[in-house]
Amino acid sequence: MVREERQVIIAGAGPSGLIAAREASRRGADVLVLEEHMEIGLPCHCAGLLSLNGLERLGVPTDGPYVQNRVKGALFFSPSGLSFKVEGQRSVACVVNRVLFDKFLLGQAVKSGVEIKVGHPIRDVHLKGDEALIEAGKHRFKADVLIDAEGVSSRIVRAAGVEVLDPSGVVSGLQLDLNGVNVDPRYVEVHIGRKIAPGFFAWVIPLSEDSARVGLGCKDGNSRELLDRFVEKRFKGEKYDVLAARSGMIVTSGPIKRTFSNRLLVVGDAAGQVKPTTGGGVILGGICAAIAGEVAAEAVVHGRFGRNFLAGYEELWRRELGGEFRYMLWARRILNALSDRAVDKI
């Protein structure tokens, strides 16, 4: 079997994988991205609500063709229906079409010199002192550095003997795109309650004045039944069409203990670099991925691929985001412990 060799190989062409690839390639590394699916951006598992400041930090325009709507605040609803509003004077976030968004990141990566191979699911990985061997699809690859951006169900993390995500902090999510509903396009809605979405919350993200992305995450119960019940109550009497349905897993456990090993860096959902409060991972995962791309390129330049050198990746991202992750994980644990009555009182 022919073995292809690259300096940096990235498993997974989601936002974290593509951003890591872009940054490594911009610094002169020979980069290959292996994606299991046949089309970048599909299947889509994301609500697509991204902060404008976060996009700027990632080097992504806030007015691209992937932007569907802009929001200036949020409406929070307690279990009994009490509500309050948080808003800014101007837009603070945008709703994106994730397929178009991912393809924009793909264009950035390819323009920087990255090679992409689709239809290449990772089958096996061997991390040795002198090489990283990857079997993907029917092909074998050798890399100086492997970046794992596979997502929640990463095989590479397990193969490397790195501690995986805490399964108790991973909840199931389901969302629908609805057309023909009455929503305020300026505000996202967040609905909290054990009867609504046990272990997480429900959301209404406006796409326009008459369309919205509606979903929930739950730790216990049937997500489809809970979502159907929520939609029926929230849009009672309205005639709407379901344009799309998407499911996925939401990480609320915070980062794994170690995101590196010999010849390996772990980024994005696979590393737990996701907001424990909201399950949003594009921005924080992307920031960490950019750092991983830089460190991987430096490793190639210096010919240093062991743990001692690659540990610099974890030092850098924890220095920048570690405090934020700790605060959000603390907040998530408090929210999970509160009763509906306590939430209403607060």
Side-chain angles (χ1 to χ4, degrees):
M1 184 181 294
V2 177
R3 185 172 70 181
E4 296 186 39
E5 299 186 7
R6 296 291 191 279
Q7 292 175 329
V8 178
I9 289 181
I10 298 172
S16 292
L18 293 171
I19 290 169
R22 181 191 72 189
E23 296 305 312
S25 185
R26 283 178 176 176
R27 289 161 176 77
D30 176 23
V31 181
L32 170 65
V33 176
L34 302 174
E35 166 59 35
E36 65 173 318
H37 299 103
M38 294 303 297
E39 184 174 352
I40 304 300
L42 293 174
C44 176
H45 303 296
C46 177
L49 182 67
L50 308 177
S51 76
L52 299 178
N53 287 337
L55 288 177
E56 291 175 355
R57 291 178 70 179
L58 296 181
V60 177
T62 59
D63 58 354
Y66 37 79
V67 175
Q68 296 176 282
N69 186 31
R70 289 172 178 263
V71 298
K72 61 181 297 185
L75 297 167
F76 292 85
F77 294 84
S78 78
S80 67
L82 301 172
S83 67
F84 68 92
K85 181 190 297 183
V86 176
E87 64 180 326
Q89 294 182 342
R90 61 189 68 182
S91 298
V92 295
C94 64
V95 189
V96 302
N97 178 311
R98 268 295 305 273
V99 176
L100 296 180
F101 180 76
D102 286 19
K103 288 186 176 180
F104 176 84
L105 294 177
L106 170 65
Q108 284 190 325
V110 171
K111 187 176 181 180
S112 72
V114 175
E115 181 183 357
I116 311 285
K117 289 184 181 291
V118 297
H120 279 67
I122 302 299
R123 294 192 294 109
D124 201 5
V125 172
H126 299 280
L127 299 172
K128 302 180 179 179
D130 58 345
E131 60 186 3
L133 297 178
I134 304 105
E135 294 184 20
K138 298 180 180 180
H139 301 84
R140 297 184 68 191
F141 302 88
K142 175 184 175 183
D144 292 326
V145 180
L146 172 63
I147 298 179
D148 178 10
E150 280 192 297
V152 176
S153 302
S154 169
R155 297 181 182 180
I156 295 173
V157 169
R158 290 177 173 81
V162 176
E163 184 173 335
V164 300
L165 292 169
D166 179 359
S168 67
V170 180
V171 302
S172 62
L174 179 65
Q175 66 180 3
L176 307 172
D177 281 3
L178 304 182
N179 188 49
V181 293
N182 182 25
V183 291
D184 189 328
R186 300 171 297 171
Y187 302 100
V188 172
E189 297 179 16
V190 176
H191 297 256
I192 302 170
R194 293 181 183 274
K195 293 182 179 179
I196 298 171
F200 204 58
F201 59 87
W203 59 85
V204 178
I205 300 176
L207 304 177
S208 66
E209 292 183 351
D210 62 357
S211 62
R213 191 163 291 150
V214 184
L216 60 77
C218 63
K219 193 170 183 180
D220 302 304
N222 185 299
S223 58
R224 184 71 208 212
E225 292 178 359
L226 289 168
L227 182 56
D228 287 344
R229 188 187 310 161
F230 173 73
V231 170
E232 182 179 354
K233 181 179 179 180
R234 172 61 182 80
F235 301 105
K236 187 175 182 179
E238 298 185 40
K239 296 181 179 180
Y240 54 81
D241 297 315
V242 178
L243 302 181
R246 304 180 182 91
S247 63
M249 304 306 294
I250 303 170
V251 179
T252 68
S253 58
I256 58 179
K257 290 185 177 179
R258 180 163 54 86
T259 58
F260 67 95
S261 187
N262 288 321
R263 297 185 179 269
L264 175 68
L265 302 174
V266 188
V267 301
D269 285 13
Q273 293 163 339
V274 179
K275 291 183 179 181
T277 47
T278 67
V282 172
I283 301 299
L284 297 187
I287 292 170
C288 296
I291 295 171
E294 295 175 19
V295 171
E298 289 180 9
V300 170
V301 170
H302 298 289
R304 299 182 62 185
F305 311 112
R307 289 188 182 186
N308 291 341
F309 187 86
L310 296 182
Y313 157 63
E314 182 150 323
E315 293 172 5
L316 288 170
W317 77 254
R318 286 194 184 275
R319 186 185 308 161
E320 184 164 351
L321 299 174
E324 191 170 346
F325 277 118
R326 284 193 297 274
Y327 173 77
M328 290 186 291
L329 187 57
W330 171 76
R332 169 48 55 197
R333 288 171 176 165
I334 290 177
L335 286 170
N336 287 346
L338 291 174
S339 67
D340 282 359
R341 185 177 180 183
V343 172
D344 274 327
K345 287 184 176 181
I346 291 172

